[in-house]
Amino acid sequence: MDQNIVLTTELQEKFKTAWAQRQVIFFSAPCGCGKSAAASALLEPYTVCRWDALSEPLEPAHNFTCDAVLLDNLQALKSPDAQQALRALILERLETHFVLLSRGAVPGWLASFRYERRMQVFETQNLMLDQETADKLLSLSGISPTPAEMSAIQKSCKGYPLALGILCHQMQGGRPYDETVDADVRRELFTHFQTAVYRRFKPMTRRLLLDLAPFEPFDVEFARILSGNSRAGELLGELQQDTSMFRYDDLHRCHFWPVFRQFLLWQQEREYSAEEQNWLYGRAALYYELHDNYKNALDCYTRCGEYQKVSELLIKNSEVHPGLAHYDEMEDYYRALPREQVLSSPALMAGMSMLSSICMDYDASEAWYLELERCAGRLKRSDADYKSVRGWLAYLDIALPQRSVGDILSKLTNVVSLLSSKEIVMPEFSVTSRLPSIMNGGKDFCAWSREDDDLYRKYRIPVSFLLKRDGVALPECAIAESKFEKGEEISGRMLDLLGRLEKIQKKGTPDIEFALIGLLVRLRIDQGEADRAIEHLEALRERFQRPDCQRFLPNLDALMCRIAMYQGNDEAVDTWYREKAPRDLLKLRVMLRYQYLTRAMVEIVYGKYQEALLVMAPLRPYFKAAHRVMDGIYLDLLTALCQFRSGDGGWQASLRAALDTCRDYQFIRPVSQYGAAILPLLEKGGWTADPAFLDRLTAAARKQAAQYPDFLRFRGDLPEPLSPAEMNVLRLLCHHKSNAEIGEILGIKLPTVKTYVSAVLRKLDVKNRGAVKDAALKLHLI
């Protein structure tokens, strides 16, 4: 094998298997992925007959004597006769191996080989170099990057062989890796793409590619409208067959191979003027707007400076998707608007007040509220905007997080009266803000729980009238949830609510449907039926795949993760934590609080108590300012768990705060849901404020513990813990370091390294070094 060619072990093993089974070997990957180099290296031990479809005619009748036939640029083989001849040759020469290289996908005339499992396809991901192999490539070029540099190199190049090859050339002679090297690599790479790929396309195809580059995913309809080219579908079909530059999300939508898209954006900057780019974004924005894709439309209108259209769409989107979540999702677009643009619209002023509030900037929130009040003061009853401005003020009085629910009750009757007399026009109001709860949704309604029966009788009709579609079955769902949190039996109420489900789906909103199913799920869990609970959520998730319900999925997935913890489904928990848990802890997103708390629960399971506390710490000021009682209880309980397990004596104060609040509201379920995890704290906490109430909490927690004894149990326990020295060795093993390298890094002798390695393998219960990393990840040791 050529000393400058390195291949991953996985690729070599896969090739050996295909060779042994005499399968047709098909390499399908874009330019620069190393198809030819990899094939040549893998075929080095054999005699090979070579053809290139770009420059040589295929001669099937040729009497060749070799182990393998290597045909390059198969995508250029367009003649049906030549295609049929190659098929016949493969079928006739059973003793000969065929290795086919193409920039495109497997063509239809060869597809039968794949369906019959007589073909092994090597795609882009098979040719990418992992960090260990990339490190070996650099070493062959005399380059020894530091671990930090190697990590940055792999992050930038992503294992792309051509980029790594260019990098080796750039760094030869001792040049250190930095941003300038990265820029030079990209410049050289893109220049190569210009000649080797881009210039080979017809001008019409090049224009279409540049038009589409900023927009992903796209389909044929979008391509036609954006480019104004009626042949866009035909051109995309040709590209799909002759290149591997596209990745399909489904049957219709696709996106570019990331490296090629970066090149196209680079090329577009060189070919398109600012006016042409703005025209392109404007055309795309109109397409997205007509298809009710406000997010993408706003992106494009902002990009081309159409702020009037941005403000129009923000207002329209707030009407379609009411609630706090709208403002959280649209924050960047609100912030991008000039102040005078906001002051020209009551809806935008209300939006800025709400947005500032959920960003915890209460001074700015009140300042925008005052601007809206000033606007109302300048209007006469006969003015066209009078009713809507008064309606926005009434909306903020109810919806602003810093307004307590006590304030709402005092204003609710007046607002309903004004609406009935048509003196105001009020926007729709979402109670849940896409959370699986009404009591703990857009606002915290725990204060109402103390008098739930009286308030239900008094306000059921006004609330339903005020909230319109969002009020369908809301009062019934709210009182059932209140009773549930207080530990009362609600099976009868739930049957009644499920009887209203069809009405909710037809005349109500997905918000209330999610809250209802969320309550049903918690009831199922409380009854020991977590498997049935997950079935309900899976069915709802299927229903919520439609575009208008996509916004519920993150919280729905977080709820599914919580159920997985009850079930002991470690794989599902790990997948959610790895792929869907919120990561940005530097900017608090209060609308993600349900996901933050779920992440903290997972980290408690992993034994990452400080991490869990860091996730929760920014939430506390918001919970206090926004009067979020229920969230505050969860926060105190999870904090107490972290402190208890990490040996922090402050756990009793955190537990006491939670129990004091629960006693005040007579809440049972917020504590008992933690079952086996919270029981030791209840027994040792020394809370004496209300022994009878503590007995109720403990009994309910024992019931949950009996049903889910491993809920929130620490999963990182080893029968024999690793010592600090063994942990150091473990980390280096996970970076594929040899015994000699480990000894050099840690400054210990080779026999000592071997002793530590043996101990690590034994304690992790694995048989070889290759299994160490997977075991360590599963146990969350690294």
Side-chain angles (χ1 to χ4, degrees), residues 17 173 199 220 414 595:
T17 302
R199 295 300 175 191
V220 171
N414 183 52
Q595 297 164 59

Coordinates of all heavy atoms in Angstrom, one line a residue, residues 17 173 199 220 414 595:
T17 N -14.4 -8.3 3.1 CA -15.6 -9.1 3.1 C -16.3 -9.1 1.7 O -16.7 -10.2 1.2 CB -16.6 -8.6 4.1 OG1 -16.0 -8.5 5.4 CG2 -17.9 -9.4 4.2
G173 N 7.1 21.5 6.7 CA 8.1 22.5 6.9 C 7.9 23.1 8.3 O 8.6 24.1 8.6
R199 N -16.8 23.8 -13.2 CA -16.7 24.2 -14.6 C -17.1 23.1 -15.6 O -17.3 23.4 -16.8 CB -15.3 24.6 -14.9 CG -14.8 25.9 -14.2 CD -15.7 27.1 -14.5 NE -15.3 28.2 -13.7 CZ -16.0 29.3 -13.6 NH1 -17.2 29.4 -14.3 NH2 -15.7 30.3 -12.9
V220 N -38.1 20.1 -6.0 CA -38.1 20.6 -7.4 C -39.0 21.8 -7.5 O -38.7 22.8 -8.3 CB -38.7 19.4 -8.2 CG1 -38.9 19.9 -9.7 CG2 -37.6 18.3 -8.3
N414 N -63.6 42.2 33.8 CA -63.6 43.4 33.0 C -63.2 43.2 31.5 O -63.9 43.7 30.6 CB -62.7 44.4 33.6 CG -62.7 45.8 32.8 OD1 -63.8 46.3 32.6 ND2 -61.6 46.3 32.4
Q595 N -37.3 21.3 29.3 CA -36.2 20.6 28.7 C -35.0 20.7 29.6 O -34.2 19.7 29.8 CB -35.9 21.0 27.3 CG -37.0 20.7 26.4 CD -36.9 21.5 25.1 OE1 -35.9 21.3 24.3 NE2 -37.9 22.3 24.7

